[in-house]
Amino acid sequence: MFKVKGFAAQSATTPLAPFNFERRDPGPHDVQIDILYCGVCHSDLHQARDDWSNSLYPMVPGHEIVGRIVRVGAHVTKFKAGDLAAVGCMVDSCRVCEPCDAGLEQYCAEGCTLTYNGYARDGTTLTFGGYSEQIVVGQRFVAKVPENLDVKAVAPLLCAGITTYSPLRHWKVGPGQKVGIVGLGGLGHMGVKFAKALGAHVVMVTTSPEKGKDALRLGADEVLVSRDAEAMKKARGSFDFLLNTVPVGHDINPYLGLLKLDGAMVLVGALTALEPAPLGVNLIGGRKTVAGSLIGGMAETQEMLDFCGKHNIVSDIEMIGIGEINEAYERMLKNDVRYRFVIDMASLKAA
Ligand code: NAP
Ligand code: ZN
Ligand code: ZN
């Protein structure tokens, strides 16, 4: 075991503060990573504050991790000391069930091991995430980082990136399709970039008209303000696909109305109950689909990073020190982030 410094929430109501803990020494298949940058996901905030009623404390959040490998186990073949490496939302899974076998470890039949707010496979050791100096992870759950990308802006790809890339690929979004990305935050801004790179006609569907210019700069072809009833009415029945990143339960009917025959809306944001609302006629009328999607498997995560390397895609970030994390959470709650906070982990030494 070795000592690590991090930032943790001790309960749902306490702000994040310095916290010392221990990590295991790397086993034969593990790598030890010196964390350089960690993105701040809205899920960090949800979990630190127990919004999903499943939080385990103390909690060291952070699942958008980029760093340099400092030690590798004897059987590690994929990495060597000095390599850039990235870790996302999970650090292990059963590895033998059908989903794991298919490279869909996030849907592991026994539940994947979350990077934080979870238990290791022993069922008792709490996992601690990326708001910390170092992390130890089995090589299967570590991705390679394309060297041509700005490493600070790569961190958010490990959650915001893969969570939007995976459904866009699974539902085969591409040229000739009109695709709406609902919510311009960390996930949404990556959704716009990916949908554009995949060749779709991209519409930013937002509650914030003031983000319109940014949406166009990020690659959207059009902006649709969801609070503008007239504009929503005009857009009815015109979308092939919607990726909904709204972070809270809400009435999805206005969005469903945007879909055309056989259109699909994939929810990635709202993990809590959606507002009770009659869906039947809205779905049945146009043979529509409502689906959900959870991050992405390790093979697809690597595919996404390689795609980003090829198309020069990274996140638009605002860098913060770890001491500013509580303020960053408050700003995220007010939709005041353009479009992902990333923590410079060097700031931890002074904190
Ligand atoms: P974020 O940066 O806070 O962005 C969310 C955006 O949603 C906001 O910028 C806002 O965009 C819009 N929004 C906020 N409140 C809204 C409301 N009441 N009604 C309509 N739109 C609203 O959050 P994020 O990091 O992108 O995360 C989004 C959600 O995805 C979170 O709930 C997170 O936990 C979840 N998540 C899921 C997965 C998964 O695997 N499924 C992975 C990562 C995160 P506009 O101003 O443009 O309206
Ligand atoms: Zn996340
Ligand atoms: Zn499994």
Side-chain angles (χ1 to χ4, degrees), residues 260-295:
K260 60 178 170 191
L261 176 63
D262 286 329
M265 171 159 68
V266 174
L267 302 169
V268 290
L271 271 80
T272 43
L274 294 168
E275 274 177 34
L279 286 177
V281 69
N282 243 341
L283 282 174
I284 293 166
R287 196 161 61 183
K288 294 172 186 171
T289 306
V290 177
S293 182
L294 179 69
I295 48 174

Side-chain angles (χ1 to χ4, degrees), residues 191-262:
V192 168
K193 291 186 187 205
F194 285 137
K196 186 70 190 171
L198 291 168
H201 180 87
V202 185
V203 182
M204 185 68 237
V205 185
T206 178
T207 61
S208 314
E210 68 278 8
K211 291 183 186 170
K213 247 199 204 146
D214 278 352
L216 299 176
R217 176 180 56 78
L218 293 165
D221 298 289
E222 289 177 54
V223 176
L224 172 59
V225 177
S226 52
R227 290 192 172 135
D228 180 343
E230 204 44 48
M232 287 291 278
K233 201 168 145 199
K234 255 179 79 185
R236 274 188 78 84
S238 68
F239 284 78
D240 297 281
F241 182 84
L242 290 169
L243 181 63
N244 182 331
T245 76
V246 175
V248 290
H250 60 285
D251 179 5
I252 62 173
N253 277 292
Y255 300 119
L256 266 183
L258 296 173
L259 291 175
K260 60 178 170 191
L261 176 63
D262 286 329

Side-chain angles (χ1 to χ4, degrees), residues 164-179:
T164 50
Y165 180 85
S166 182
L168 290 171
R169 296 284 287 161
H170 185 76
W171 273 269
K172 301 188 168 51
V173 161
Q177 292 180 13
K178 182 169 166 183
V179 169

